[in-house]
Amino acid sequence: MAVNVDGTVLAVATTGKVRCWDLRTGKEAASVNVNLPKSKRRGSSQGDTEKPPGPRIVLSSDGRHLAVRLGHSIETWDVGKGDRIRREEFDVNEAGAGIADMAFSPDGTLLAAVGREFIGEGLVRAYNGHLY
């Protein structure tokens, strides 16, 4: 779940999509069809398994762009059009156990991501204008 900076857009990851609501009207404003992975529950009939980190979503300050972390990749989306703009794969050896966190800059022109293994060590990958 994510809210944009001025609190006007709420994005929620659901099965197969990210849905966005305009919080001023309470109405669904858009949805993005994202191939969110299905997770196995501990103790399920499939047994206990290690799973990659679940999806994480962040919105740009104006709510027009969405970034979705899916394991070792990040997808950026145009919320209004529902179009995927780019998918960036991280090398598992570089990102460690996946992408720990990501954030848009206040003006929405930069998306930064950090790998779990490198938290506190200063390795941050930034994408200036190339994801959208």
Side-chain angles (χ1 to χ4, degrees):
M1 180 167 53
V3 177
N4 72 326
V5 173
D6 67 4
T8 58
V9 179
L10 168 69
V12 178
T14 63
T15 304
K17 64 174 63 178
V18 176
R19 299 171 67 187
C20 298
W21 282 270
D22 182 328
L23 294 177
R24 296 166 292 199
T25 65
K27 295 182 179 180
E28 186 171 346
S31 66
V32 175
N33 292 319
V34 177
N35 188 18
L36 298 174
K38 293 183 180 178
S39 62
K40 295 181 181 178
R41 297 180 182 200
R42 290 189 142 300
S44 70
S45 60
Q46 289 92 10
D48 291 348
T49 60
E50 290 295 321
K51 61 179 184 174
R56 164 118 166 81
I57 58 176
V58 294
L59 284 166
S60 61
S61 59
D62 61 9
R64 292 180 35 219
H65 296 101
L66 172 74
V68 181
R69 174 195 67 197
L70 300 165
H72 299 291
S73 67
I74 296 175
E75 293 181 351
T76 52
W77 294 80
D78 181 307
V79 173
K81 294 179 182 176
D83 293 338
R84 183 172 73 183
I85 300 164
R86 185 171 176 172
R87 178 181 176 95
E88 183 71 28
E89 295 284 339
F90 279 73
D91 182 313
V92 175
N93 294 323
E94 182 182 357
I99 300 156
D101 207 1
M102 58 189 177
F104 282 101
S105 61
D107 67 0
T109 62
L110 178 74
L111 177 67
V114 63
R116 290 183 183 282
E117 190 172 294
F118 301 107
I119 293 176
E121 296 183 21
L123 178 65
V124 175
R125 182 178 287 182
Y127 301 93
N128 187 5
H130 296 290
L131 289 178
Y132 59 89

